[in-house]
Amino acid sequence: MNELDSEFIKGAIVGGGFGEAQNEYDADIILLNTCAVREMAERKALGKAGLLSQLKEKKPDLVLGICGCVAQQRKEQLFDGLPLLDIVCGTRQIAQLPEMIESVRKTGERQIRVEDLSSEKLDFALTKRNSLIKAFISIMRGCDNYCSYCIVPYVRGRERSRPPQEIIAEIGQLAQKGYKEITLLGQNVNSYGKRLEPECDLVELLERINAIRGIERIRFVTSHPKDISPALIGAIARLEKVCEHIHFPLQSGSDKVLRLMNRGYSLNDYMKLVDALRDAVPSIGLGTDIIVGFPGETEADFAETVEAMRRIEYDSAFIFKYSTREGTDAAKLPDDVPLEKKKERNKILLQLQKQISLRKNRASIGSYVEVLVEGPSKRNPYRMMGRTRQNKIAVFDGGQHLVGKILKMTVADATALTLFCQVAEETLSAPQNKTGQRQSPAYRASP
Ligand code: 5AD
Ligand code: SF4
């Protein structure tokens, strides 16, 4: 979401007539896009803004701004802590940035726009994308779920779905430019279409995108477990371009904690979903987010999360230490799990996931995967990298000429995070068969 918002910001500014600098030392305008979802992210952003203020001391004409969720949350308070800051721009005012920059330059006065969370006038066509192959598409903004720990509904406002025709037109244009993969983005894409006239839900949207010639892969993120419908599971199985991967955060394996989090499902509901997904799409890759150290999380609650992760055997998991976010419901509860405990639980889950990922990835050695080639590997620029349909990173020998191609490869070796592959066929392959065998035993929920 943040990456895409940064692409919007870049697009709005370049669209407003400004050029792109190579680095922060050459820049005349620096805007930080920020995340407020956890305390650490916020602290990092403010630390960076402090460092940039030092740059501004030496270069007084520099225009310095903070955008995004921290701007929306902290508003004018930011000016108190950062006296050299020029711009505070909230989550729904990106389109106004060029005008704000001009005002700072003309008048030298600080600009702040954070008032209105109800409307957003964003010209999606201006988005300045970082990739020529993969694109994020915002299908909805905001969130109505109010999970008790989460600041998103307060800084991004109520949920709003973009009309499908607008989304289809944007993707059609990307397909013409040669884009191969699109990822539909929203805080809870499963509730896409709420309040849309005429009606359109995520399944219908996926069907329409599946028909766009040139687009080879469709992903969507993030899914809320309470809103994943049988129809959606059927669509993942049926629509050949929809990749076999779903990120649907569990957050905790304890029903008590899930209730306190206001998640709207029990562990058993979730387990049934895991079964339904694996039954319909045996090769599906599963991803999750987990929060450790939520208020009141006991050793027994944590043990339930460990057990759930063992049984589900995710392909990937992001583990977060709970941090209190001002204004949320959970902020009213005592943050009573000591930091050391949170760190310990975080480490246990990271290690567990590493073992599971390693075992699953190594079990795939010798099998075929379908890889969309993205570019040189970050670690070793002499090798190329791409992703499988299950969203796993594949690294292989090959040249720049393969970028943008979908290749069939064999898995030769694997670590917990990477599949090392060999190209099997240098031709565009047909989408992978979705009814392949399960790679690992899946837990079955009790009836
Ligand atoms: N503390 C820790 N993690 C959080 N997340 C959201 N809010 C908090 C918080 N206050 C995590 C959730 C969510 C992910 C994007 O960030 O796991 O799915
Ligand atoms: Fe936050 Fe819950 Fe909305 Fe996700 S679904 S953005 S965790 S409130």
Side-chain angles (χ1 to χ4, degrees), residues 74-121:
R74 301 284 168 212
K75 303 190 171 61
E76 44 283 295
Q77 267 178 34
L78 287 173
F79 291 131
D80 302 338
L82 295 159
L84 294 182
L85 189 66
D86 299 300
I87 290 174
V88 172
C89 176
T91 48
R92 298 208 176 190
Q93 281 83 13
I94 293 173
Q96 298 173 32
L97 274 167
E99 184 196 317
M100 295 170 82
I101 294 167
E102 286 299 356
S103 299
V104 172
R105 289 183 141 181
K106 271 200 202 115
T107 65
E109 280 171 22
R110 292 162 152 186
Q111 302 292 313
I112 176 162
R113 308 274 162 88
V114 285
E115 323 68 39
D116 191 3
L117 267 183
S118 62
S119 65
E120 181 174 39
K121 287 193 198 73

Side-chain angles (χ1 to χ4, degrees), residues 251-252 257 261 290-298 302 305 319-324 334-339 341-343 345-346 349:
Q251 308 296 5
S252 169
V257 175
M261 286 177 164
I290 303 280
I291 299 176
V292 293
F294 185 83
E297 185 190 66
T298 60
F302 177 65
T305 303
I319 318 290
F320 304 108
K321 295 186 284 291
Y322 171 76
S323 59
T324 307
D335 184 8
D336 54 2
V337 180
L339 182 59
K341 213 18 126 201
K342 287 180 187 166
K343 284 185 183 163
R345 291 178 184 174
N346 187 63
L349 294 189

Side-chain angles (χ1 to χ4, degrees), residues 143 145-147 149-150 152-153 187-188 224 251 263:
C143 183
N145 279 311
Y146 294 93
C147 301
Y149 50 80
C150 186
V152 167
Q187 308 296 344
N188 172 16
H224 194 305
Q251 308 296 5
R263 290 290 285 174

Side-chain angles (χ1 to χ4, degrees), residues 253-270:
S254 149
D255 284 343
K256 179 195 96 187
V257 175
L258 286 173
R259 253 192 319 274
L260 287 172
M261 286 177 164
N262 191 29
R263 290 290 285 174
Y265 54 83
S266 66
L267 178 63
N268 200 48
D269 298 335
Y270 189 94

